[in-house]
Amino acid sequence: MSAKVLIANRGAVVPRVIESCRRLELGVAVVHSDADAEGAWLDLADDVHALGGEAPADSYLSIPKLLEAAAATGATAVHPGYGFLSENPAFASAVRAAGLCFIGPDARWLEAMGHKTEARRLMAGQGMPMGASSGLLGPDAAEARAAAAAIGYPVLVKPAQGGGGIGMLAAHDAAELDKALERARTMAARSFGSAEIYLERLMERPRHVEFQILADGRGGAVCLSERDCSLQRRHQKVIEEAPAPGLDRAEVTALGDRIAGMLGSLGYDNLGTVEMLWEEGAGFAFLEVNTRLQVEHAVTEEVTGTDIVAAQIRLALGEPLDQVLPRRPEVRGHAVQARIYAEDPVRFLPSAGRLSRFKTPVAEAVRVYTGYREGGRVTPFYDPLVAKVIARGATRDEALDRLDGALAGFVVEGIKTNIPFLRRAIGHPAFRAGRVHTGLTPEILASGRQPPEKNIPRGIPQKKRGDVPWPTQ
Amino acid sequence: MADTVIRSEIAGKVWKIEVPAGGRVAADDPILILESMKMEIPVNAPVDGTVTEILVAEGDTVAEDQILARIG
C-alpha cells in the first residue's frame, strides 16, 4: 500500500490519524491556519502547509485552499477528520475530481445522510426502528402546529441539514413552538446554509446509543460495537463509553447486526455511525447516520482491538472488508472517553487564552490526544475540545477509575476546563450505576459532590513512540 | 441612578444584537448573542430597564470583560 495522506483538519484528530498512517507506513501532510501556527500536530507530519486565515471559512472550510495543500504536499489521499468538511459532499467530490482518494464514504452518502429527513426515509425503508417525526416544514405555522399535535408534545425542532446540536430547540406547547420555529430556522440558515427544519418527538430522559459500522460498498458491512454517549451538555457529548452499560447484550448485538445489514444492502461504504435514542419501555428510535469518523471512535477500538482509522483508510484505498477485518471482533472489557473542553466547569462558558502550563498524563491503558502544547493559544475560532482521554479496563469500574486518575493527572493553566465537572460526573452515583441519560448533567451539577481525592501514581514510564496500544488486525 | 454596565464574560464575536439602543428589556431577556468556539452564548439583561447604549456592532470581535452595553 502506498499513499500520502493529507489530513484536512486541526486539533486532536490530527495526531490520531497520523498514528494510523504511521502504522500503515503512509506519508502524512498536515495543514494549519494562522491561529494554529503553534499546533502540536505540526511536528508529527512529513509536510506542513499553511492555509492562512483564522476563521474556519478562511482556512479549514476552504475547499480551494485544501486542494492547493494536497497538490503542494504531493498528497494522494485526503482524510477529512471530523467536523469542518468531513461530511461535505462538495468537498468529497472535489477531492475525487482532483484525482485523489477521499477517506470517507462516497459523496452520495454524505448528501443522502446529511439531509436528516432523507436519511430517515432511506433507513425507514430498510426497517429501521423510528420515533414519531414530521416531514420538512413549510413556512406556515399552522402546518407546524398540526404536525406537533399529531406527534404529541413535547417536540424537538431540528434543522434538516444540521449537526452538533446546533439549532435544536424543544417546544412543550404551541406558543413555545412558534418561537422555536423562527429561531431554529435562523440558526439553521446561518450554520448550515439551509433553513429547512422538521419536528421529532422529544424524549425527556433518553439514552444516546450509537452503532459503529465499517462497510466496503460491495455489500460487506459489520457493526463493531455500540457506544453510549448519553452524558452531554448543550446537546454535545462529554463522556462516551463502550459497551453501553445495562442494556440487553443480545438485543443490542442483534440490532447492530441488523443495522450493518441495512447499510450493506444499500451499498454504503467506508465507515459510519448510526445514532439512536433509547428509552425505557419504548426501545430504540433512529436519529441519524454520521458519515465520518466520530470523536468517540477510540472507545470502540479499545473494546474490539480494532484500529478503526486504519480500517477506514484501507477500505478507502479499495480493500474489501473481509480482508480488512477477517472476522467480527468480540467486545471485551470496557472503555470510556472524556472530552476536555476549554470552558467553565459549571456554566460551560467558553474559555479562551494561552496555555501557560499544559501537561497530559501518561498511564497504563490510557490514551490521550490533543492538538495543543504548553504555550499554545486556545482561540474562540474553533470548537472547545482541548484534549480527549480514553481509558480501558476489564470492568466499567476499572475503566472509570483509570479515567478519573488520568483526569487528575492533567495540569492545565491559562484557561478554564471542564475537568472538575468530568470528575464529578464520573463519581456521581447514578453515572457509576450506569443509570445514564441525556438529562443527567443538571443533576450532576446540582449534586455538588466534589471529586474524590486520589493518589495518582507518578513516574509511569513514557510509552515509546510507535508503541501500539491494541493489536492491529 | 448610574446605568448598569453589561460586560462580556467570554472572548468571541457579536453574532446578533437582539435589542437596539433605546429598546426596553426585562431581566433575563437576551440583549445580544455572542459566538465563541462554535457556540452561541446569549448575553441577558441583569435588570429591567432601557438599553441606553450598545457599544459593539454585529460581527465585532470582543474580549473577555469588554463593555458591551449599558442599561438605565
Side-chain angles (χ1 to χ4, degrees):
Chain A
M1 190 177 353
S2 161
K4 184 173 189 180
V5 179
L6 176 87
I7 304 165
N9 213 298
R10 68 172 300 281
V13 70
V14 185
R16 170 64 199 92
V17 175
I18 290 174
E19 193 175 55
S20 292
C21 288
R22 295 303 185 210
R23 207 168 275 139
L24 296 171
E25 299 182 339
L26 304 176
V28 179
V30 297
V31 293
H32 69 89
S33 67
D34 287 350
D36 280 336
E38 301 160 324
W41 63 93
L42 306 185
D43 296 340
L44 306 174
D46 302 314
D47 289 287
V48 176
H49 185 88
L51 296 170
E54 287 190 319
D58 303 324
S59 53
Y60 304 104
L61 290 175
S62 169
I63 295 175
K65 282 187 176 182
L66 291 165
L67 292 179
E68 190 184 303
T73 57
T76 57
V78 175
H79 194 298
Y82 38 68
F84 294 119
L85 293 169
S86 60
E87 295 184 283
N88 183 304
F91 182 54
S93 297
V95 166
R96 289 192 171 124
L100 309 170
C101 171
F102 180 77
I103 301 169
D106 190 89
R108 74 190 164 106
W109 295 119
L110 307 190
E111 183 86 51
M113 301 304 188
H115 198 284
K116 304 299 179 243
T117 52
E118 171 64 8
R120 292 179 74 82
R121 190 191 60 74
L122 259 177
M123 298 314 291
Q126 293 290 312
M128 179 71 77
M130 290 282 169
S133 70
S134 72
L136 285 180
L137 295 173
D140 181 9
E143 179 205 358
R145 285 182 173 207
I151 292 167
Y153 286 103
V155 294
L156 194 61
V157 183
K158 290 183 77 170
Q161 304 202 40
I166 297 164
M168 282 168 44
L169 297 167
H172 294 79
D173 55 40
E176 272 188 21
L177 179 69
D178 289 350
K179 281 186 194 160
L181 289 169
E182 185 190 348
R183 182 126 180 79
R185 277 190 222 277
T186 305
M187 288 162 81
R190 183 175 147 270
S191 300
F192 311 114
S194 160
E196 290 178 324
I197 53 170
Y198 72 105
L199 305 178
E200 280 179 12
R201 185 175 77 84
L202 177 68
M203 295 184 183
E204 296 279 30
R205 288 166 67 96
R207 289 175 62 171
H208 175 118
V209 180
E210 61 188 31
F211 296 81
Q212 177 69 64
I213 308 295
L214 291 175
D216 61 10
R218 305 167 209 182
V222 67
C223 176
L224 289 177
S225 87
E226 87 287 355
R227 299 184 281 257
D228 187 293
C229 313
S230 298
L231 200 82
Q232 304 180 2
R233 63 98 179 93
R234 297 181 196 272
H235 299 298
Q236 289 181 322
K237 298 161 187 169
V238 181
I239 294 180
E240 301 109 331
E241 56 186 313
L247 295 184
D248 183 300
R249 294 298 323 142
E251 183 192 347
V252 171
T253 305
L255 179 57
D257 289 347
R258 267 179 60 210
I259 289 168
M262 291 175 201
L263 289 177
S265 66
L266 285 170
Y268 187 86
D269 72 311
N270 203 255
L271 97 178
T273 297
V274 176
E275 298 196 326
M276 313 277 286
L277 291 177
W278 180 90
E279 198 173 37
E280 189 75 58
F284 284 96
F286 175 78
L287 260 185
E288 61 186 68
V289 181
N290 286 330
T291 50
R292 55 167 167 81
L293 186 71
Q294 302 263 114
V295 180
E296 59 274 20
H297 71 278
V299 293
T300 296
E301 294 184 320
E302 289 296 330
V303 296
T304 61
T306 308
D307 180 338
I308 291 172
V309 178
Q312 184 189 13
I313 294 169
R314 290 172 64 187
L315 288 164
L317 293 173
E319 283 191 60
L321 184 63
D322 57 10
Q323 198 172 299
V324 174
L325 201 71
R327 64 193 181 285
R328 187 177 72 179
E330 275 180 59
V331 173
R332 288 193 181 150
H334 203 91
V336 58
Q337 169 178 286
R339 300 188 191 194
I340 295 170
Y341 288 135
E343 63 188 22
D344 164 312
V346 176
R347 295 172 62 207
F348 306 131
L349 286 176
S351 175
R354 191 168 286 283
L355 289 161
S356 51
R357 291 190 73 203
F358 187 59
K359 304 252 182 287
T360 60
V362 177
E364 185 191 353
V366 168
R367 293 161 64 185
V368 178
Y369 296 96
T370 180
Y372 292 97
R373 57 183 157 203
E374 197 159 282
R377 264 193 325 139
V378 179
T379 72
F381 300 115
Y382 315 115
D383 75 52
L385 187 73
V386 174
K388 50 183 203 159
V389 52
I390 303 106
R392 185 183 67 243
T395 63
R396 185 171 185 263
D397 274 341
E398 184 177 54
L400 288 173
D401 286 345
R402 278 187 175 143
L403 179 65
D404 190 53
L407 289 168
F410 272 85
V411 177
V412 187
E413 289 177 14
I415 60 163
K416 294 173 189 157
T417 75
N418 64 336
I419 289 175
F421 169 76
L422 293 168
R423 296 193 67 204
R424 191 188 288 184
I426 289 166
H428 189 272
F431 186 82
R432 273 280 168 171
R435 295 195 306 275
V436 289
H437 58 86
T438 58
L440 189 58
T441 293
E443 290 178 35
I444 292 166
L445 287 171
S447 71
R449 273 173 58 104
Q450 290 306 306
E453 287 303 320
K454 284 185 180 279
N455 292 318
I456 308 305
R458 298 283 175 205
I460 298 165
Q462 177 85 38
K463 267 196 188 126
K464 291 194 296 291
R465 228 175 120 173
D467 199 8
V468 180
W470 63 85
T472 45
Q473 294 283 331
Chain B
M1 206 171 79
D3 285 357
T4 302
V5 174
I6 313 296
R7 292 177 185 273
S8 178
E9 291 184 89
I10 58 165
K13 209 170 185 175
V14 180
W15 174 51
K16 194 162 186 278
I17 291 170
E18 298 277 20
V19 183
R24 293 279 307 160
V25 285
D28 296 329
D29 280 356
I31 302 170
L32 49 85
I33 312 281
L34 297 178
E35 181 184 35
S36 180
M37 296 189 189
K38 290 174 71 180
M39 284 180 273
E40 291 173 4
I41 316 291
V43 177
N44 297 332
V47 291
D48 296 357
T50 300
V51 177
T52 52
E53 203 175 5
I54 296 273
L55 296 156
V56 289
E58 287 178 6
D60 282 3
T61 298
V62 297
E64 193 173 333
D65 215 37
Q66 182 174 331
I67 298 175
L68 303 171
R70 289 190 172 88
I71 297 177

